[in-house]
Amino acid sequence: MSGALLLNPEQADRHARVIFYLDNSNQIVFTDRRRLGALWLVENEQPIIGKLGPEPLNPEFKSDILVKRLQKHKAPIKAVLLDQALIAGIGNMYADEALFAARIHPLRKTNSLSPQEIESLHKAIIDVLQSAINSRGASVDTYKRPKGELGTAHSNFCVAHRGGKPCPVCSAPIQRLAIRNRGSYFCPNCQKP
Ligand SMILES: [Zn+2]
C-alpha cells in the first residue's frame, strides 16, 4: 500500500493525484507517488465493493472462512494474501508480518497449508492489522497521517523492510525475495520452505 490522504497540506505536493475542495474550504489531497492507488466515482459502490473479499477485522471473519478461501489455490501464500478479491485489506508489509508470526514461508503453496497453519495465519492477520491500526499505520515509504504525522507500526516490524537485519526470534539475517514483483521479507530459519 502506498500513498496518503492529507488534510490541508501546507505545501503543494507534486505527487497529488486528486484534490477534493470541500464546501467548508478544507482540502483533502490524495497523494500517491507510486501510483498504486485507485479511485472510483460511482453512484452504486456494490460493483466495486462486491469484488472485495471479507474484511479481516470483521467479527464474522472466522478461521474456517479463511480455510475455505485458501484451500483451492496453488499459488504461493504470499501472493494469495495480497489478492484483494480473496481477503480485503492486507498490504504487502502486513502479509510479510502475518506470515512471519504464523511461521509460514512466503513461497509455500497455499493448498499445502494445514488447517492448523491456516488457523495460526488467521490469528496472525488479525493481530498484525490490529496492532498496525493501534500504531496508526507504517511510514516506511510514503504513508502519512492526514495531518502529515508519521505512523509508527514499522518500528514493531519483525521482518518487513528489514532485509539483512537479525530476526528478533533467532537472530538469522532476514532475507528478501520478489514474489510476483512484490518484495517479500522473511526469516529463513523461522519460516522453513
Ligand atoms: Zn528467525
Side-chain angles (χ1 to χ4, degrees), residues 9 13 16-22 26-31 39:
D13 183 334
R17 306 292 172 209
V18 182
I19 302 176
F20 297 94
Y21 296 93
L22 307 188
N26 280 332
Q27 281 181 25
I28 296 176
V29 176
F30 173 52
T31 175
L39 188 92

Side-chain angles (χ1 to χ4, degrees), residues 100 167 169-172 187 189-190:
F100 174 77
C167 167
V169 173
C170 74
S171 300
C187 171
N189 191 37
C190 296

Side-chain angles (χ1 to χ4, degrees), residues 63 66-67 70 77 81 98-99 101-105 108-125 190-193:
S63 71
L66 192 61
V67 171
L70 294 186
I77 180 63
L81 286 182
L99 287 170
R103 302 292 186 262
I104 296 170
H105 192 283
R108 279 280 299 280
K109 271 190 176 182
T110 299
N111 62 2
S112 77
L113 298 175
S114 69
Q116 291 75 16
E117 284 176 311
I118 297 180
E119 202 164 307
S120 306
L121 182 58
H122 172 263
K123 180 179 182 305
I125 289 168
C190 296
Q191 295 163 271
K192 300 279 189 210

